[in-house]
Amino acid sequence: MQTACDGVTPPEANLSTCGSDQLPESEISIPNLNGETNPTVNGESSPDESVSGDTTPSTGSSSMEDIHEGSMLDTCESHDVCSPSNEVTPGIDDQPGDGISTTENIHRDTPGEINQIDGQTPRSNTEHDSGVINQVDTHGTNDTHEKSGPTVLNDLQTDMASTTSSTSGESTPVSESQAENDGAGQDKKLDTQMVLVPDIGFCIKVHPPGAEPFDLPVSAMELVQEIIQVLVDREETCHRTCFSLQLDSVTMDNFAELKNVEGLQEGADVKVVEEPYTVREARIHVRHVRDLLKSVEPVDSYNGLDANSLSFLNTVTAGDILDKKRGKPDSLDCTPPDYIMPGSKERPLLPLHPGLNEHKTLPCVRVLTYSGWNPPPGHRKLHGDLLYLYIVTLEDKKYHVTASPMGFYINQTNDDEFNPNPKPATQRHLSHSLIDLLSQISPLFKKNFAVLLKKRALKHPFERVPTPYQVYSWMAPSIENSVDSIRAEDAFSTRLGYEEHIPGYRDWNEELQTTRELPRKTLGERLIRERAIFKVHSDFVAAATKGATSVIDGNVMAINPGDDSKMQMFIWNNIFFSLGFDVKDHYKDYGGDAAAYSAPASDLQGVRAYNNLDTEGLYTLGTVVIDYRGYRITAQSIIPGILEREQEQSVVYGSVDFGKTAVTSEKYVELLKKTASQLRVRPHKVLTEKGQEIELYSSVDCKGIIGNDRRYYILDLLRTFPPDVNYLPMENEELSPDMKRLGFPLQFRHKLVCLRQELIEAYAEAKYLEFVKQAAQEFQHIRQQREAKETASKNAQTESKDFDEKVEKLVNGCKDEVDLDVYAKKIMDSLTNPDSEKSEEHTKDVVRKAARAVGSLSETDFSILFNPDVFQPLVKHLNQEGEVYSKDKQLVKDAAQYLVMWQIPSFVRDCLDHTSSPLDGRSLTETMHLRGINIRYLGRVTEKLALFPELCYLHCIAISEMLCRVAKHLFQSHMHTVEPMSTASAIGHFLNCFLGSYPTPHAIVGSEEFQNKNSKTKKKGRKRGKGGPFTYNHDSNEWLAETPRSLWKKVGEEMKGHFNYTVDCDSIDSAVEKYNLQKVSLLRSFCQKTGIQILLREYFLDSKHKQCFSEEDIVNTFPVVKHIHPKATDAYHFLTSGQNKIQQGLLKDGYELINEALNLLNNVYGAMHPEISACLRLLARLSYVLGDYGEALSCQQRAVLMSERVLGIDDPNTITEYAHLALYCFANSQISSSLRLMYRARYLALLCYGENHPEVALFDSNIGLILHAVGQYELSLRFLENALKLNSIFFGAKSLKVAMGYHLIARTHSCKGDFRTALQNEKEAYGIYRQLLGEQHERTKESSECLKHLTQQAVVFQKKMNELCKGERSVNFPPLQIHVPTMANVLDTLSAVNGIELVHLVQLGPDELEKLRAQVAKRATSTEGIGAKEDSTGSMTVKADKNEVINGSTSVSECGQCPVKGKGQEIKSEIPSCTPMVNGDIKECIINNNAIRVVGSPAS
């Protein structure tokens, strides 16, 4: 049997966590002495080939006709495609014929909406409905959709072929990729020239039957099928599904490109011709009608069906912000809700799902279902009857409808008598569309359906596109269950009804492996391959999830039904399922069920690592881990032939008994040799019980099985990485004294603890830096001895000192000041250069000493490789007493010590620097994993965080995360004793014990009849039953006996055992009081971790007189799914290249590269994906930086919608997206929308992590500034003062953020006329500026000027008041000089607060540029503190001192370098830092491309 695999969703799935504006940069590769490159943390490297000059693919999509027909399409040769380049991609406002076609979506699930999703020109002018997703297509390509493997691959290849087949003759020559060296030793970047493929746009006139003709903009590159999909979704034609397009009475081929259709040109008349129905087409039509009627209801989103999910952006902004006109500030209602005001302790839950009443639509029909008279009898089939429908209209009239090839008509059948003959002509209402038929027989249907279509047209396309993976909501309103035959059919069938013609189930393993075998040499081939991999993987995840829930619900029979329930295994839809229990005592010596539950986590990490390497010829299984209703179940694809023989007979490499016996294979050795060095696995030899010597290139547990398809599979990868000795006490093995002082090793619940791959890479990188430093020191020492002249010796000493300083900076984390690759390469070149002055003997001696110093396994070069089988009691190593094995053990100990002594303190240090600020438990976990810190170290991390008061917010998050994880473990064992009929009651009882303040909660088991029945039929043990997945001892009321005190006692014990952290709390109230926790945040986190969906209502968690939760409050349970995430490698390379350009100041070049990355991401992932959301966010920020506020708003709106859909409405990333969108709304003068968005962001932040967080301080600063801009000074002060208080806590009372806070408050008080208070606050700001920046700093000077002004106004005002007090009547008040900030000024301040500095570009002529260069060079040699350097591109960088910033911004003239003033335009530039910046200093002034750019760095 296959072994169970499990894992954790890899953290690098999200390009951006913690709400940072920057996407992660590519990891640094570590060259070794052999010239090889070690893998990145992600286990993948950038493409090692230049992108070839092939033809660019045109806009394409998957055609759904092949899915509906189920036929094998004719395959076409896919032409090569070219690489993207820096050419400008047409923007959203470009017309089809105005631009150049770049890399577009080669395959997309939703072809009808390509233009709108990609930001291209919409096909029509009717709202957002013109080019949106086809509802039939939604379900046709849904993740829950079952389709044969050849069909999927055929769709992809045929689609790609159709989109590229005609481009070869139109392309122009393209240059090879240029590998550039930036002069700073950076990796090669992609800087290619793109093939320009003309994309001719024109309009055609569409003539639908029974409707007015309309114009439709199309592209010559589009398929006819795409036009059909647009028409199926368009408001005027959405009620038709079975039709063809005809031009001059000739039917157009659905898979032909428009440019290949003869006679199709500007203004051509295209007719929509109705086609005869078949049974399949009739069922598709009925399904489409159902989808139309449900298209504006969120029912499927709450139920987690059909890849639907929630989005509330347009509800929050009261409509599409892109359709709004610029509002006037004086007509706004700016009052925020009371529950988001600073200091409010109220945390309501109802606002989490706003506008629920708006989603309630008028019903169109009472009942629409398949008739019980189906299927048509044989004699009626001969008359053309396809199927029968039963309809009850809103007028309570009942109809029986026949579907025939000509359409739908009313027959004479009633509830009691079958009479399929049509009614008289005046009553049959024969219509080709069911919508037309319903409109004729029901006036209310016609009226309400028109209203529904209008609402549907108002929805953004992103609100309707299916997501790649199902997203669930942890709260849901009470939803009325209505009759829905389509839903009922889906619930009890494994495939959609109109796909039953496909024989058998999908062969998932064949699909998964075939997609990985697709060619990958050219960009086009890689796009097809990655798209196919992603599509099949997402389908597999959906199918595995559905199968796992069916197993737990008791709908799948076990393949070994006679065994104990824990040992049962299942096969459903060609997927193998196993439960997370210790089967046959397999893990008896490693922790039993605890080991069996945790083992798959490490296994999936191994699957991820080998998948990222993508080694040809080596295959892994499709693996998904599902937690559902307290059970863990693992789903795997099935190796062909494995079920036909025992596992011992199948394994040709590795061991099936933890090393007692082992076998090997030459082919596996050949394949695993390629992966061993990349995964840092040291080849090692083990001895079997018979004394046989076996050489392994992986862990001994890794099993190699050759399938019947002759593919080489590896599985059981749970020990891919070395063990964590900090949690593995062993006899005769001791850790270092430093680790023993810290209490290590600790006892853990199981012995399958492993280090993470990220830690292995970080440790190897640190050791390599140490190795380079040691080699450099030895090299300089030898050089000094050989130098004869004193000056040369001094120079050598200086160089050595400089090198040491730079390496120290790098080791200490200042990677921006020294480039690892550059210095490593220089040192290694110097040591290995045969023409160097050193002899080969000296070179070897230097390397030998450096290798010995860092503990390298090799004496002749740098080698940090780990033996994953060390400290395994059942594994016998060759020569276990030898030096090599001793080094293996010591290396593992050193890596574990590195985690505790360096990685954890480094993480805490980054949190102190605010370069990392996790927003909730999930983002904290991801941040720790990215640094290689296992979650079992969270207790250690929490202890470190407690030492720093400024990290109190993170300490609370860490405590909450540990509590929720411990509660999840207890919940799982709690649910194992619960009968199916008591599930809701048991969940509610657990929530009451864990989170409720009521001391004696009780649960209702069920009806009296049920209890009496159970009492008569007592059973012992657990056995599979009909009532659910497992039937338990009915007398076991263990879960009923749980109380808050007993549960919290278990929580304390589990915290100590799992996290080695002591929590002295006996109830939730004591925990909240001691650690300043928030019950609602704990409720949210716990529900998300366990898959519980509760009723949307207000819960009084603090009530001591009544229990909070009842069984009616438990709405549903949903699966928590973990799986690997396929990567878009080329898109990732473009993304990192674009980021590098931005960091160099080449904003437009960076924008173009990132825009190309977006196109490639859309090619691979389709319309919706978290990485696309992150890319859109970066594009929005760049557009804002470049001054295009409208484009920034458009991109960010899509980013918010996508984040809500694919991550969740209350995900930390979504909160950050809301805040960014608010800034761009303000820039576009949409003040009201900006405030609503900021209020929404603050509310979600309060719900997730409370008010005690730096992000809340940032939000309050934004809200205060916006309210200030509209004259709401009292409200503004409340938010600004709260921001000041929070910044004082997290950044210190004398930080620049606090100074800015005082300044903003002073400005607000001065606008109110309260000069005395304003003066006091400005004094505080001035004192901080003077202390931190000095008297001569521009910010200090500005504050001083502000003080003078406020003092003058206060003196004048007080003088007049004194005169009034003396009784003088002729006192004339001079007008007070109150400086009310302009909108532009407020926007500048908002930019600074959100981490953006003003930058000026001054365009210079050639003569002026040369003059400037001369002045810069002259000043660089004469002025201390300013240095100049010129890189290989001809750019000159001028380092400026820190005394040249005003208000977080600067002009070129302020740095003293620019001889020309006033010639340029002002733009904004974002500093590449995740830390929000209030004010900053000039970092450098770059003269490049005939322009000057002054950039700043965060002063805080």
Side-chain angles (χ1 to χ4, degrees), residues 926-1135:
E926 291 172 353
T927 307
M928 289 175 58
H929 283 169
L930 285 173
R931 297 172 182 274
I933 305 173
N934 303 82
I935 201 64
R936 59 180 167 270
Y937 286 93
L938 185 54
R940 176 72 181 171
V941 171
T942 306
E943 291 175 353
K944 289 288 185 182
L945 295 173
L947 301 176
F948 303 96
E950 55 267 48
L951 295 180
C952 58
Y953 72 95
L954 198 53
H955 182 261
C956 295
I957 292 175
I959 293 289
S960 299
E961 180 68 6
M962 286 193 293
L963 286 175
C964 289
R965 284 180 173 270
V966 165
K968 181 186 74 172
H969 299 155
L970 297 174
F971 175 77
Q972 290 164 347
S973 58
H974 174 85
M975 294 301 295
H976 291 172
T977 63
V978 177
E979 293 183 349
M981 294 189 69
S982 302
T983 300
S985 182
I987 295 174
H989 183 65
F990 188 91
L991 289 174
N992 284 323
C993 293
F994 179 51
L995 296 173
S997 298
Y998 186 62
T1000 57
H1002 59 278
I1004 300 175
V1005 178
S1007 65
E1008 183 179 350
E1009 178 185 356
F1010 176 69
Q1011 294 180 18
N1012 292 338
K1013 181 180 178 181
N1014 288 342
S1015 63
K1016 296 177 183 178
T1017 57
K1018 296 181 180 179
K1019 299 180 181 179
K1020 293 184 179 181
R1022 304 179 183 181
K1023 196 154 187 175
R1024 189 124 182 124
K1026 298 180 180 179
F1030 304 99
T1031 302
Y1032 299 96
N1033 185 350
H1034 295 290
D1035 289 338
S1036 174
N1037 292 326
E1038 181 182 343
W1039 66 274
L1040 280 171
E1042 196 75 80
T1043 65
R1045 185 171 295 275
S1046 65
L1047 179 62
W1048 274 90
K1049 182 180 179 181
K1050 295 177 183 178
V1051 167
E1053 295 171 352
E1054 185 78 7
M1055 285 274 280
K1056 185 64 177 177
H1058 195 88
F1059 296 108
N1060 192 38
Y1061 192 85
T1062 303
V1063 177
D1064 296 326
C1065 302
D1066 59 355
S1067 67
I1068 182 64
D1069 293 326
S1070 60
V1072 168
E1073 182 179 357
K1074 182 175 181 179
Y1075 298 108
N1076 194 26
L1077 305 181
Q1078 199 170 250
K1079 287 186 180 181
V1080 68
S1081 299
L1082 290 171
L1083 175 63
R1084 168 185 173 270
S1085 179
F1086 178 77
C1087 289
Q1088 290 178 337
K1089 281 179 169 54
T1090 55
I1092 297 173
Q1093 188 180 63
I1094 61 176
L1095 183 66
L1096 179 63
R1097 71 171 181 86
E1098 301 300 344
Y1099 293 92
F1100 302 100
L1101 296 170
D1102 295 327
S1103 174
K1104 298 182 182 297
H1105 307 290
K1106 183 180 179 182
Q1107 64 183 26
C1108 186
F1109 299 93
S1110 66
E1111 58 182 335
E1112 287 78 15
D1113 294 323
I1114 310 303
V1115 176
N1116 202 353
T1117 56
F1118 55 83
V1120 179
V1121 185
K1122 303 171 185 176
H1123 54 86
I1124 63 173
H1125 291 268
K1127 293 292 181 183
T1129 53
D1130 290 289
Y1132 183 78
H1133 190 61
F1134 268 83
L1135 195 61

Side-chain angles (χ1 to χ4, degrees), residues 207-432:
H207 296 262
E212 293 295 324
F214 57 86
D215 293 331
L216 182 68
V218 296
S219 167
M221 297 294 185
E222 292 176 332
L223 301 178
V224 174
Q225 176 68 20
E226 292 182 49
I227 309 304
I228 292 177
Q229 298 294 352
V230 173
L231 296 177
V232 168
D233 198 71
R234 190 182 176 97
E235 183 176 347
E236 300 94 324
T237 53
C238 66
H239 55 287
R240 302 184 183 278
T241 60
C242 188
F243 62 88
S244 62
L245 299 181
Q246 290 188 0
L247 178 66
D248 298 332
S249 301
V250 177
T251 301
M252 301 165 64
D253 181 8
N254 285 355
F255 305 111
E257 288 186 338
L258 296 186
K259 64 181 181 180
N260 296 330
V261 177
E262 185 177 355
L264 188 63
Q265 57 188 356
E266 179 73 30
D269 292 321
V270 176
K271 293 184 178 180
V272 177
V273 179
E274 298 170 343
E275 296 290 341
Y277 283 100
T278 62
V279 174
R280 180 183 144 275
E281 289 292 344
R283 300 187 73 174
I284 290 175
H285 185 77
V286 173
R287 176 65 181 253
H288 180 60
V289 170
R290 180 264 183 191
D291 291 336
L292 284 177
L293 299 180
K294 301 288 185 180
S295 59
V296 295
E297 297 180 6
V299 177
D300 287 344
S301 298
Y302 284 116
N303 291 331
L305 298 175
D306 297 338
N308 290 297
S309 56
L310 298 169
S311 176
F312 292 109
L313 173 61
N314 288 340
T315 303
V316 172
T317 57
D320 194 331
I321 55 177
L322 298 182
D323 295 338
K324 293 185 178 182
K325 297 180 180 180
R326 299 194 168 208
K328 296 182 179 180
D330 56 358
S331 61
L332 302 175
D333 180 13
C334 305
T335 306
D338 292 337
Y339 54 82
I340 71 160
M341 293 298 294
S344 173
K345 299 298 182 182
E346 185 183 1
R347 299 289 183 266
L349 291 172
L350 289 176
L352 181 60
H353 295 237
L356 288 179
N357 294 330
E358 299 176 10
H359 293 293
K360 294 182 179 179
T361 57
L362 295 174
C364 295
V365 63
R366 202 173 300 282
V367 176
L368 171 60
T369 182
Y370 291 109
S371 171
W373 298 108
N374 280 308
H379 71 282
R380 289 308 305 174
K381 290 181 181 179
L382 300 178
H383 288 78
D385 291 5
L386 302 176
L387 53 84
Y388 303 121
L389 301 174
Y390 174 65
I391 298 173
V392 179
T393 65
L394 296 179
E395 293 85 357
D396 285 329
K397 295 183 178 179
K398 300 179 181 180
Y399 297 94
H400 289 263
V401 175
T402 299
S404 68
M406 298 303 296
F408 298 84
Y409 63 84
I410 301 174
N411 59 41
Q412 300 181 32
T413 300
N414 56 43
D415 295 343
D416 302 320
E417 181 182 357
F418 177 68
N419 185 357
N421 295 315
K423 285 193 173 184
T426 56
Q427 302 178 17
R428 72 180 64 169
H429 301 293
L430 175 64
S431 304
H432 192 268

Side-chain angles (χ1 to χ4, degrees), residues 13 42 49 92 244 442 1103 1453 1494:
N42 294 334
E49 57 182 349
I92 193 169
S244 62
S442 173
S1103 174
S1453 58
V1494 181

Side-chain angles (χ1 to χ4, degrees), residues 37 87 128 259 1481:
T37 301
E87 296 296 332
H128 289 290
K259 64 181 181 180
D1481 302 312

Side-chain angles (χ1 to χ4, degrees), residues 811-831:
V811 174
N812 290 332
C814 301
K815 294 189 179 183
D816 56 326
E817 300 192 28
V818 62
D819 191 289
L820 168 66
D821 292 341
V822 174
Y823 287 97
K825 187 174 186 300
K826 286 183 179 179
I827 294 300
M828 295 301 104
D829 288 347
S830 300
L831 293 175

Side-chain angles (χ1 to χ4, degrees), residues 449-468:
F449 186 72
V451 175
L452 182 145
L453 286 183
K454 290 182 179 179
K455 285 189 175 182
R456 180 174 176 269
L458 294 176
K459 297 186 72 173
H460 193 277
F462 278 6
E463 295 181 84
R464 294 155 57 184
V465 180
T467 57

